[in-house]
Amino acid sequence: MVINLKDRRWSRPVIHAIGCCALFLVSGCATKNAALDPVFFPPDAEVARIQFLKKISNPADLGKKQNAFLTFLIGAPPPQPGLAKPYGLALKNGKLYVCDTVGRNVHIVDLESGDWSYFHSGNITALKKPINLDVDWDGTMYVADSGTGNVMIYGSNYVYKGSVGEQGEMKPSDVKVRGNKIYVADLKSHSVRVYDKISRGLMFDVPLKDGSDKTKLFAPTNIDIDSTGNILVSDTGAFRVQKYSPGGTYTKTYGS
């Protein structure tokens, strides 16, 4: 059927409806095609460095099938653990550990088997606001909890082993474990605090105090340690990344 839009028998509402339907069909096709195209960052005109592969928010994203027997018993699929407000994460031995600040727990995703579990500490050693974590070679978890003001330590079997920092001493935002040291980004003292892993005693603070704004940390948010022991800190308060030697001496600034 051919519609003559100049024919006065076609009212404006009808013509408008036809136009909307056509626009919907076109946009629907475009959306479908766009979803099939790979997404890169940065986009064209620059060399792409990152490609989006998939999202992970619950077991279904890993292709894990529902338990048919439980579904039969209760008449509906069993509830699936999922991320509410994920923040920091760590990858160790094929497992992805994700801090959930709303759930006050740590999700543990086995990327090989597809198993999804989550760790929730007991009342006495409860996590209040876990925002970052690191996992040592033996599976020990070090969780930076800004709610308790400590780095909480749990063994490979998720049993509480102790904490780093006294009550009210700091407000940790990130933690890294390298060798015999524990590095904690502390918003309260505007520094990275370096502790002995065995005794958990404070060894020194980074940066070393020299009174210069160039070497300071204003809001140390995330940290990493390179292969030679240098300490790199993202300072969101000064819009830069600071680099320090293994002993805490300032060496370089990235950004401004």
Side-chain angles (χ1 to χ4, degrees), residues 83-87 99-105 120 128-130:
L83 297 169
K85 190 175 181 181
Y87 198 85
C99 290
D100 193 328
T101 58
V102 169
R104 300 181 181 182
N105 53 21
H120 198 295
K128 292 185 178 180
K129 194 174 182 180

Side-chain angles (χ1 to χ4, degrees), residues 78-140:
Q80 295 289 312
L83 297 169
K85 190 175 181 181
Y87 198 85
L89 54 83
L91 184 64
K92 196 74 173 182
N93 298 327
K95 292 182 179 180
L96 184 67
Y97 300 76
V98 187
C99 290
D100 193 328
T101 58
V102 169
R104 300 181 181 182
N105 53 21
V106 176
H107 292 254
I108 304 163
V109 184
D110 191 318
L111 299 176
E112 295 179 2
S113 67
D115 291 332
W116 187 304
S117 60
Y118 62 93
F119 163 72
H120 198 295
S121 53
N123 292 331
I124 299 176
T125 60
L127 296 168
K128 292 185 178 180
K129 194 174 182 180
I131 59 174
N132 264 308
L133 80 163
D134 199 13
V135 182
D136 207 357
W137 63 271
D138 61 353
T140 301

Side-chain angles (χ1 to χ4, degrees), residues 152 160 240:
M152 310 291 274
Y160 178 72
R240 63 191 183 187

Side-chain angles (χ1 to χ4, degrees), residues 169-189:
E169 180 182 12
M170 60 182 174
K171 186 176 181 180
S173 60
D174 197 7
V175 59
K176 285 290 181 292
V177 182
R178 296 292 185 274
N180 64 342
K181 297 183 178 68
I182 304 170
Y183 302 81
V184 183
D186 179 23
L187 292 169
K188 189 171 185 177
S189 67

Side-chain angles (χ1 to χ4, degrees), residues 33 60 145 231:
N33 291 334
D145 191 322
I231 306 163

